[in-house]
Amino acid sequence: MTLQRQGVLGVVVAQTTLGTLGLCVIEAGTDPLSTAFYRCAIAALVLAVYAAVRRDLYALFRLRARVLLLALLSGVLMVGNWVLFFEAIRRSGIAVATIVFHVQPFVMVLIGALVFRERLRLVTLCWIALALVGLTLATGLFDASEGHGPDVIGILCAVGAAVLYACVAIIAKGFPRSNGAQLTLVQCLCGVLVLAPWLPLPPQSLEAGQWGWLAMIGGVHTCAVYVLLYNALPKLPTATAAILLFFYPISAIVVDAFWYGHAITALQITGFLCILLASLAITLKWAGFQQVASEGQ
């Protein structure tokens, strides 16, 4: 099997597995803060063992102060992202929360324009506008068949999670090339410290079934998936990776439909396709390609 095929297989497996995250969150029956805490605690334990086996654990103690500070900041933001996303799933459902969360590429563009004063071209604004239209449709706002409007708080939580995740991605650009598993371990350890004082559900109050679902979230959806992605993505061209990453929301939609019967409507599918198209355009910089083509003519 070639390296590119290994990369494709790794990303598809990782993203499809991520689509079951919402199922585990709902079935665990724990509040968002507790879910995020146990995700961090379990993931940190497994990642520490993984790093120790690979003899990468000692590298954590050699990080420069600036890098460690950025890692801790990204950890706080990542934990906030998880808490908001879990709340969005609880209120809006798996499919809607996941679709809305995937507006984060456009949030990154807007943050870059505001913070780093990056210039926004007209065509980029058009793609962002298309994504906003898709976001509106995906929420079910105009879907009369439901008989009620979307959960506004749930939608705002998903958007807030996207904003925090975009900030983490921007901070990550300031890191030197390092092991992704180590960064995730730092983020999870940070999450344990931040969430421990606010933990609503102590370990002794959890049932065996809840521990099983939480172990899936921490061990599979965090450790295994992140390791798969970090190993697979460098083997793929940007265009291929950008397309394959959308296996996550597609998988989440399928899981929500088959497990809970929450099939999304035609308008919501249209909204998702708008977000997908606009995201690919932003990620692959289609505007830049068009500019090169026109200059060549």
Side-chain angles (χ1 to χ4, degrees):
M1 183 180 294
T2 64
L3 286 178
Q4 183 163 336
R5 287 184 178 178
Q6 291 175 9
V8 169
L9 180 61
V11 172
V12 169
V13 171
Q15 294 300 96
T16 304
T17 302
L18 271 179
T20 64
L21 171 62
L23 167 65
C24 294
V25 169
I26 293 176
E27 293 299 315
T30 52
D31 61 277
L33 284 174
S34 297
T35 305
F37 172 81
Y38 289 111
R39 178 180 192 174
C40 291
I42 294 171
L45 178 61
V46 177
L47 282 170
V49 173
Y50 175 79
V53 170
R54 291 175 55 89
R55 298 181 180 180
D56 290 335
L57 192 59
Y58 73 94
L60 292 176
F61 302 98
R62 297 166 51 188
L63 294 176
R64 290 179 299 167
R66 175 181 173 276
V67 174
L68 181 59
L69 182 61
L70 287 175
L72 292 175
L73 176 59
S74 70
V76 173
L77 294 174
M78 183 65 84
V79 170
N81 152 63
W82 286 342
V83 172
L84 288 177
F85 184 59
F86 294 157
E87 181 67 15
I89 289 175
R90 188 178 70 86
R91 289 177 172 272
S92 300
I94 299 171
V96 173
T98 305
I99 292 173
V100 173
F101 174 77
H102 277 77
V103 301
Q104 58 90 10
F106 319 106
V107 177
M108 285 185 64
V109 172
L110 293 175
I111 291 176
L114 292 174
V115 177
F116 304 110
R117 297 184 179 180
E118 296 176 355
R119 183 180 178 184
L120 290 179
R121 298 179 57 204
L122 178 59
V123 68
T124 303
L125 293 175
C126 290
W127 287 123
I128 293 176
L130 177 63
L132 292 177
V133 171
L135 173 61
T136 304
L137 294 175
T139 62
L141 182 64
F142 298 112
D143 193 352
S145 63
E146 292 292 334
H148 56 80
D151 189 306
V152 176
I153 296 179
I155 298 300
L156 291 177
C157 284
V159 173
V163 172
L164 293 182
Y165 187 85
C167 292
V168 171
I170 290 174
I171 291 174
K173 292 182 179 180
F175 284 101
R177 294 181 64 87
S178 59
N179 190 310
Q182 294 174 357
L183 174 59
T184 306
L185 175 56
V186 173
Q187 291 173 336
C188 288
L189 289 173
C190 182
V192 171
L193 295 176
V194 170
L195 293 172
W198 313 98
L199 183 62
L201 291 176
Q204 63 269 22
S205 67
L206 296 175
E207 300 177 358
Q210 291 177 304
W211 276 115
W213 292 110
L214 292 171
M216 286 281 291
I217 295 172
V220 176
H221 294 100
T222 307
C223 299
V225 165
Y226 281 30
V227 170
L228 266 177
L229 285 176
Y230 286 132
N231 289 333
L233 287 175
K235 301 174 183 176
L236 297 175
T238 301
T240 303
I243 295 172
L244 293 179
L245 289 176
F246 274 92
F247 268 82
Y248 174 14
I250 292 171
S251 174
I253 292 170
V254 172
V255 168
D256 206 12
F258 278 90
W259 195 277
Y260 296 109
H262 297 160
I264 64 175
T265 65
L267 277 178
Q268 288 176 305
I269 292 175
T270 302
F272 170 63
L273 292 176
C274 289
I275 294 174
L276 188 154
L277 177 62
S279 177
L280 290 177
I282 292 293
T283 303
L284 303 181
K285 300 179 181 178
W286 286 350
F289 296 151
Q290 293 166 0
Q291 182 184 30
V292 171
S294 62
E295 289 174 353
Q297 295 171 350

